[in-house]
Amino acid sequence: EEKGKGHLIDLFLRYDVDRDPVEKRTYQDLADESGLTVHQVTVGLHWARQAFRDCFVAEVTDQVGSVDDLEDEMRILFGFSLR
């Protein structure tokens, strides 16, 4: 929000976090609701997901003892590696 991107965080929360699994909301729906273009929604969600991932990795890094432990945690939680 400090970077003036609070509206993108809101899109991320509405689309990726708070979404009802039955609801089939599209990027076009988000664009229409927010007054953005579909391209802006696509780029904005990409930015917000990356920002969330970076914050999450930083938080987990503070909780584990080493890079190897971080790798293990990410693999267990999400099935992906940071490398």
Side-chain angles (χ1 to χ4, degrees), residues 60-75:
V60 173
T61 299
D62 288 344
Q63 304 297 319
V64 298
S66 71
V67 173
D68 290 334
D69 291 341
L70 174 62
E71 283 289 324
D72 290 342
E73 286 295 319
M74 299 313 275
R75 196 173 304 104

Side-chain angles (χ1 to χ4, degrees), residues 72-83:
D72 290 342
E73 286 295 319
M74 299 313 275
R75 196 173 304 104
I76 290 166
L77 291 171
F78 300 109
F80 70 80
S81 176
L82 296 173
R83 297 178 201 181

Side-chain angles (χ1 to χ4, degrees), residues 51-66:
F52 176 80
R53 180 179 180 211
D54 293 346
C55 289
F56 186 84
V57 167
E59 187 65 31
V60 173
T61 299
D62 288 344
Q63 304 297 319
V64 298
S66 71

Side-chain angles (χ1 to χ4, degrees), residues 15-78:
Y15 189 79
D16 289 323
V17 177
D18 296 332
R19 180 171 48 172
D20 180 346
V22 175
E23 184 182 15
K24 301 292 186 209
R25 184 178 249 171
T26 66
Y27 283 16
Q28 183 66 58
D29 294 334
L30 288 176
D32 293 343
E33 294 168 12
S34 62
L36 300 172
T37 66
V38 172
H39 177 74
Q40 289 171 314
V41 168
T42 301
V43 171
L45 284 174
H46 175 78
W47 173 86
R49 290 171 181 142
Q50 186 62 49
F52 176 80
R53 180 179 180 211
D54 293 346
C55 289
F56 186 84
V57 167
E59 187 65 31
V60 173
T61 299
D62 288 344
Q63 304 297 319
V64 298
S66 71
V67 173
D68 290 334
D69 291 341
L70 174 62
E71 283 289 324
D72 290 342
E73 286 295 319
M74 299 313 275
R75 196 173 304 104
I76 290 166
L77 291 171
F78 300 109

